[in-house]
Amino acid sequence: MTFMKLEVPEYAYMFAFLQMDGHLEKGRGKKGRLSVEIGYQDVEILHRFRELTPYPSTVGERTRATNFAEEHRSAIWTLCSLEARTLLHDLGLPHGRKSSLVTPPRNPFAEADYVRGLVDADGSVGRTSQGLPFVALTTASTALARYFCSYGALVTGAHRTVRRNSRDRVYNVLYTKEAALALIRHLYYPDCLALERKQKAAREALGWTRPAGMKKRTPGRRWHPWEDEVLLRCEGPAEAAALLGRSESSCYMRLWRFRRGDLSLAAPGRGAQEVRREGP
């Protein structure tokens, strides 16, 4: 296999993992290194990365105090090859702090495996405390959050809104119940490269079935560009509701979002777009 050919499932997964948990350090001249540090319970994935890499690399460990434990044992994979580091950088792995800068690859890539790499590194999968299946991703990157929502909608039919949370200004994208099951089946297929504990959690989540008494929420009707244009030309929500065949409350809330500044009308015929609110 050609190293980091992203159409190969293992490399697509590995590249996503490196984008989320890797650190590409650029030293003086030709010096530098790529390192990934994770909890020691997941050390096997680093050994797989080493096997997939046709350049010298090492897997080590260390124990240190953290905010969560006095003795935290971690595993570290280190790669120093300039050729390998240059290739990874050209594919879209930035040097230094990168959490808000990373984007999906520009080259063709195995998407299901790439998304699974994102979830394994900076997301979660399994069951909630109420026993509901879920898949979630946390990221500071707007590009990755939007991509994850678009891909999730393609696989599950469930649409999510991209919005930073107010506490730490990151994106938290969540799928639950049937949408989560569809995504889990798609991402964690048999014999795929993944963290063992997340593969196990995914299998356990697939055992869920909707209880007979649990109501299923009907997906909301999405707004089309022409509907936004009609809405903004009307005298008020009552007139818009009559013309569009929607509820007055739906039209009122849509207008409120425009007036509040959450939405802005793009070019004619393109409907509304979310307004980015990055904050301080």
Side-chain angles (χ1 to χ4, degrees):
M1 291 187 294
T2 303
F3 180 59
M4 277 298 143
K5 183 177 176 60
L6 299 184
E7 292 164 303
V8 176
E10 290 82 0
Y11 285 135
Y13 171 91
M14 181 177 171
F15 186 70
F17 204 101
L18 296 181
Q19 281 189 311
M20 306 304 275
D21 275 357
H23 180 72
L24 186 58
E25 179 183 342
K26 186 177 182 180
R28 291 183 178 181
K30 296 182 179 181
K31 293 183 178 180
R33 66 177 182 175
L34 167 68
S35 60
V36 181
E37 182 172 4
I38 59 178
Y40 194 81
Q41 73 272 22
D42 295 323
V43 66
E44 285 305 314
I45 203 69
L46 299 187
H47 286 298
R48 288 290 291 121
F49 291 172
R50 185 182 180 187
E51 292 169 3
L52 288 165
T53 304
Y55 302 93
S57 65
T58 60
V59 176
E61 65 175 277
R62 69 170 175 170
T63 302
R64 60 193 174 93
T66 69
N67 293 333
F68 306 101
E70 291 185 3
E71 291 189 355
H72 173 71
R73 188 184 184 193
S74 62
I76 308 169
W77 178 61
T78 305
L79 171 68
C80 295
S81 165
L82 175 61
E83 183 177 345
R85 289 186 287 113
T86 301
L87 175 58
L88 288 165
H89 179 66
D90 290 344
L91 285 173
L93 183 62
H95 291 107
R97 296 180 63 86
K98 63 182 185 340
S99 59
S100 63
L101 302 177
V102 288
T103 67
R106 296 179 292 272
N107 299 347
F109 60 100
E111 293 192 79
D113 305 279
Y114 178 80
V115 173
R116 186 176 65 258
L118 298 179
V119 173
D120 271 13
D122 265 4
S124 49
V125 58
R127 292 203 185 196
T128 67
S129 58
Q130 290 78 35
L132 302 176
F134 77 96
V135 179
L137 177 68
T138 300
T139 178
S141 165
T142 300
L144 285 187
R146 288 177 174 170
Y147 171 76
F148 187 68
C149 289
S150 297
Y151 193 75
L154 183 67
V155 173
T156 71
H159 296 270
R160 297 292 182 266
T161 300
V162 179
R163 184 174 299 168
R164 294 186 187 274
N165 66 37
S166 57
R167 182 172 64 88
D168 47 16
R169 308 302 298 161
V170 299
Y171 300 99
N172 301 110
V173 186
L174 175 68
Y175 293 89
T176 61
K177 301 174 186 174
E178 283 84 3
L181 294 180
L183 199 52
I184 290 170
R185 291 191 188 98
H186 181 76
L187 298 180
Y188 291 87
Y189 57 84
D191 301 320
C192 66
L193 179 62
L195 294 178
E196 184 178 347
R197 61 185 173 86
K198 291 199 174 180
Q199 283 180 317
K200 181 180 178 181
R203 288 194 297 268
E204 291 174 351
L206 289 176
W208 181 83
T209 54
R210 179 179 287 272
M214 180 182 287
K215 293 183 179 180
K216 190 171 183 179
R217 182 180 176 183
T218 304
R221 175 180 162 189
R222 295 185 65 78
W223 284 82
H224 296 288
W226 67 268
E227 291 180 301
D228 283 326
E229 293 170 9
V230 169
L231 174 70
L232 294 175
R233 287 200 302 267
C234 289
E235 293 294 328
E239 181 184 354
L243 289 173
L244 297 173
R246 289 179 173 272
S247 68
E248 191 170 333
S249 61
S250 173
C251 294
Y252 174 85
M253 287 303 300
R254 189 71 171 177
L255 279 170
W256 179 78
R257 292 194 68 198
F258 273 110
R259 291 166 181 165
R260 184 172 179 264
D262 291 338
L263 296 173
S264 68
L265 196 63
R270 294 184 60 187
Q273 61 183 6
E274 295 284 341
V275 175
R276 292 181 64 183
R277 294 173 176 267
E278 300 297 338

